[in-house]
Amino acid sequence: MITPNTWVEIDRAALLSNIHACRQLIGPRCRLLALVKGNAYGHGLRETARVLLDAGVDSLGVEAVGEALALRAAGITGPVLLVGPIPDANVPLLYAHHLTPLLVSPEQVQTVGAFTQQTSCMLNVHLKFDTGMHRQGIMRQEFPVLLDLLAKYPGLRVTGVATHLAHADEAEQPERTRRQLNHFGEVLAMLAAAGIRAPIRHAANSAAALLWPEAHLDMVRFGIALYGFWPAEAVQRASAGRLTLRPVMTWKTRVATVKAVACGCGVGYNGSYVTTRESRIAMLPVGYYDGYSRSLSNRGQVLLHGQRALVCGRVSMNLITVDVTDIPAVQAGDEVVLIGQQGAAAISAAEMAAWLGTIHYEVTTRINPLIPRVVVG
């Protein structure tokens, strides 16, 4: 067995706790779709999906056909909703692998409908409507064309109707979300008048599930909350006391070597960090190839022996250096935490995101998918 230079641990108990909290929030009659797109938000597609399904989530959501086929290859047979674009050449794979596409335009309905007609097959589909996000979704003015296409292609079995809320995490400004929900209600009424009553209506992501109970409908698309992160600070403030989320991920590496460096020496490429005293510098086998951003040069911190150590010098492709002068016990082989908790100290994905001027979603999803994900606990 190969020992990796860097790895990500997935805390099964924390993930199960978050699933339970989300279940309690939406109640027993509402379906829970777990989004595992983006390599399960960086947590590991196959590894995380197995825990989610063992915990009884109702279905999984992926972005691309390739993600769905990876799940099928891993022996996962449950319902999978494909929420991203579908190249025409991939349409036959939907039927072959029992995938449900989320169709977002009349053109997609036409393409998938023509396939069902040519192959004399039935295919479950969800329809997505644009109620104000102006990204993906069927527009109100396209409704007559949509109805004509659905009548033309009876092989399309509409089992779900969806929308996406652009401002669901804005707890202090509810008007836009209420407007979108009202618009979605009008769409559902128009579909019902045309004889289309899908059993699954869904509009809520994690933020909407926490802030807008009226958006729960028949299914909630949980993503970031399952992995123990709040969608936004405003959502966390508004949800205080109602549920607890536990971070699932710990990203680790090990000390490769430690060396003594004299005062006044430059460290790393271009000598961007210059020692101001006799120092001990530890080399860690992780870098921007692994997803540890170069923008963390001379800014990031890691945990060693339960203490923080500064990243000193440039982050390289596969290596970073950290100043461990004030942690004298550090030696080669010691475990290092990049994201997560070590003793009483912790570095969260949100803190790393603040160093980078981005969001925690980006931090975790950019961790190289080739890095091993190990389920623990």
Side-chain angles (χ1 to χ4, degrees):
M1 182 175 177
I2 298 173
T3 299
N5 284 338
T6 181
W7 69 100
V8 172
E9 293 181 355
I10 305 304
D11 186 335
R12 182 194 302 272
L15 183 54
L16 293 175
S17 175
N18 296 336
I19 296 166
H20 177 72
C22 292
R23 279 284 192 198
Q24 292 292 104
L25 182 72
I26 63 177
R29 296 184 181 181
C30 185
R31 292 175 173 89
L32 193 161
L33 179 143
L35 284 164
V36 292
K37 65 178 182 174
N39 200 29
Y41 290 54
H43 292 67
L45 175 67
R46 300 170 186 83
E47 298 84 356
T48 304
R50 290 191 181 98
V51 178
L52 291 165
L53 290 170
D54 288 346
V57 303
D58 298 290
S59 55
L60 300 174
V62 298
E63 174 71 15
V65 171
E67 292 176 326
L69 296 193
L71 292 175
R72 295 297 189 233
I76 291 170
T77 59
V80 174
L81 180 67
L82 183 64
V83 302
I86 308 161
D88 292 356
N90 288 344
V91 170
L93 297 173
L94 303 176
Y95 180 72
H97 295 278
H98 308 288
L99 308 176
T100 301
L102 182 63
L103 304 181
V104 302
S105 68
E107 291 78 13
Q108 272 196 333
V109 175
Q110 165 71 39
T111 300
V112 178
F115 168 78
T116 63
Q117 187 178 71
Q118 293 160 9
T119 56
S120 301
C121 73
M122 298 288 292
L123 186 66
N124 291 342
V125 302
H126 288 205
L127 302 176
K128 184 175 183 180
F129 290 87
D130 189 338
T131 59
M133 189 162 188
H134 302 131
R135 192 177 63 175
Q136 288 191 117
I138 299 163
M139 304 292 287
R140 183 188 291 263
Q141 60 267 29
E142 295 172 323
F143 205 83
V145 175
L146 171 68
L147 295 182
D148 289 343
L149 290 170
L150 293 176
K152 181 179 179 180
Y153 299 119
L156 297 176
R157 185 188 295 117
V158 179
T159 57
V161 180
T163 194
H164 197 56
L165 303 173
H167 303 274
D169 59 354
E170 297 176 4
E172 297 87 355
Q173 296 180 333
E175 296 80 10
R176 291 171 175 171
T177 296
R178 291 199 178 111
R179 191 180 309 125
Q180 275 196 260
L181 289 173
N182 290 337
H183 188 174
F184 190 48
E186 294 168 2
V187 167
L188 293 171
M190 292 167 64
L191 288 170
I196 301 170
R197 294 179 175 83
I200 303 175
R201 304 161 300 156
H202 51 109
N205 57 7
S206 294
L210 291 162
L211 295 181
W212 309 99
E214 62 269 38
H216 291 176
L217 303 175
D218 304 303
M219 184 172 76
V220 169
R221 305 183 300 266
F222 274 108
I224 198 73
L226 291 175
Y227 305 106
F229 302 124
W230 295 96
E233 290 184 6
V235 179
Q236 183 175 5
R237 289 194 299 271
S239 305
R242 288 199 293 133
L243 82 166
T244 299
L245 298 177
R246 294 170 54 186
V248 173
M249 168 189 289
T250 302
W251 187 9
K252 294 182 176 181
T253 186
R254 291 184 180 88
V255 174
T257 61
V258 182
K259 68 192 311 179
V261 176
C263 179
C265 292
V267 177
Y269 284 118
N270 307 118
S272 64
Y273 179 86
V274 178
T275 57
T276 58
R277 56 180 174 169
E278 291 187 359
S279 303
R280 296 179 75 241
I281 305 298
M283 274 60 69
L284 312 181
V286 64
Y288 55 76
Y289 167 79
D290 305 291
Y292 198 84
S293 175
R294 191 170 184 271
S295 297
L296 292 170
S297 301
N298 299 308
R299 179 182 302 172
Q301 298 176 29
V302 305
L303 299 178
L304 270 157
H305 292 234
Q307 299 180 60
R308 290 181 176 238
L310 176 69
V311 174
C312 56
R314 298 268 188 241
V315 173
S316 302
M317 185 181 295
N318 304 106
L319 191 72
I320 62 175
T321 47
V322 298
D323 189 333
V324 295
T325 309
D326 296 324
I327 317 175
V330 170
Q331 59 185 345
D334 285 353
E335 192 171 87
V336 183
V337 168
L338 308 172
I339 293 176
Q341 187 162 345
Q342 190 182 65
I347 294 174
S348 67
E351 182 177 12
M352 185 178 286
W355 295 335
L356 293 168
T358 185
I359 56 174
H360 45 8
Y361 296 73
E362 182 175 359
V363 167
T364 61
T365 56
R366 283 195 168 188
I367 299 174
N368 191 322
L370 297 179
I371 291 174
R373 269 65 172 177
V374 182
V375 178
V376 300

